[in-house]
Amino acid sequence: MPGSSGPGSMCRLSRASRSAPSNCRGAAAASAKRRADLAGVARALSDLLAAHLDWSRPVILFGHSLGALIAYETALRLEGSGLVPAHLVVSARRAPDVPTPQPLRHTLVDDALLAELARIGGTDAAILAHRELMALLLPAIRADFTLTDPYHRPQPEALDCPILAIRGQDDAEIGEADMAGWEAATRSGCARWHPAGGHFYLADPPVRSALAERLARLAAAAG
């Protein structure tokens, strides 16, 4: 389940160009039109997973940043229908009971939002400085923040499946205390992992490999 907070989730760019690639224009337009309704996204996804996954085998839900919230809400709906995932893995996202700090990013003017993206990291400075390209991408980025920023569950509903909560050691977006509340979101235990890197630690191939190994071990243990 995808994350948010940067144009890298919409198209792969290593440096800015004079004009925005057509695939980025299309991706930005499609993303900006997505429903600003996280519950609706989770409801649709849970219906899809319930219908098309083989639930006789272990099912692990993984979500990074915004994707972690979608994975959690999807797991709640799956369990409500009697389908319990083997594990929920939440990455780089504060716990449901921790509100997003003010000011909410989807309300920021463009220059302030660009500064926030630079602070979080994970996006080439040349891309952020490319005004034409960012004019195309900012509506889609703002749409992601519209989904994630207002989210808050003061009393999280507990899952039956266990949780693995992951935070990069140098994450400037999510503090260690922000992750603690995931323990209250499960009745089956919450483990923690702190790989090297920041909010976008997944960009590091060795860390991705280590994550894949952890997921494989979780699946084998549940199998």
Side-chain angles (χ1 to χ4, degrees):
M1 297 177 187
S4 64
S5 309
S9 64
M10 290 171 282
C11 58
R12 295 187 179 186
L13 294 172
S14 58
R15 63 174 182 270
S17 59
R18 287 189 174 273
S19 60
S22 59
N23 69 306
C24 291
R25 292 193 189 98
S31 183
K33 291 179 180 177
R34 72 183 59 168
R35 291 171 295 170
D37 175 8
L38 193 147
V41 173
R43 186 164 49 250
L45 184 57
S46 63
D47 289 344
L48 184 68
L49 297 181
H52 295 287
L53 288 184
D54 179 1
W55 287 88
S56 66
R57 303 175 62 187
V59 172
I60 296 175
L61 301 183
F62 172 90
H64 180 82
S65 194
L66 166 60
L69 292 183
I70 295 175
Y72 168 65
E73 291 289 334
T74 299
L76 286 175
R77 284 156 180 77
L78 287 169
E79 290 196 353
S81 66
L83 299 171
V84 180
H87 229 97
L88 170 65
V89 182
V90 291
S91 167
R93 170 66 206 190
R94 59 185 59 85
D97 63 329
V98 181
T100 302
Q102 297 286 342
L104 299 184
R105 289 152 305 180
H106 68 283
T107 67
L108 297 176
V109 299
D110 286 356
D111 285 347
L113 182 54
L114 288 170
E116 176 67 4
L117 294 175
R119 183 189 69 82
I120 295 171
T123 304
D124 193 305
I127 295 175
L128 293 176
H130 194 299
R131 306 299 291 193
E132 181 186 1
L133 179 58
M134 293 311 301
L136 289 169
L137 296 180
L138 278 180
I141 296 168
R142 200 178 295 278
D144 278 353
F145 282 132
T146 300
L147 279 177
T148 187
D149 281 359
Y151 183 92
H152 184 216
R153 274 183 178 264
Q155 295 181 322
E157 188 173 346
L159 293 164
D160 288 325
C161 71
I163 291 176
L164 171 62
I166 306 173
R167 174 188 175 268
Q169 296 173 15
D170 301 316
D171 194 332
E173 165 71 357
I174 306 298
E176 184 63 21
D178 294 332
M179 301 290 291
W182 282 112
E183 295 180 4
T186 175
R187 288 181 285 269
S188 299
C190 178
R192 306 279 282 277
W193 182 41
H194 304 88
H199 192 68
F200 294 99
Y201 69 87
L202 285 169
D204 185 7
V207 176
R208 286 201 304 272
S209 296
L211 174 61
E213 292 174 3
R214 280 180 172 264
L215 296 180
R217 289 198 298 270
L218 291 178

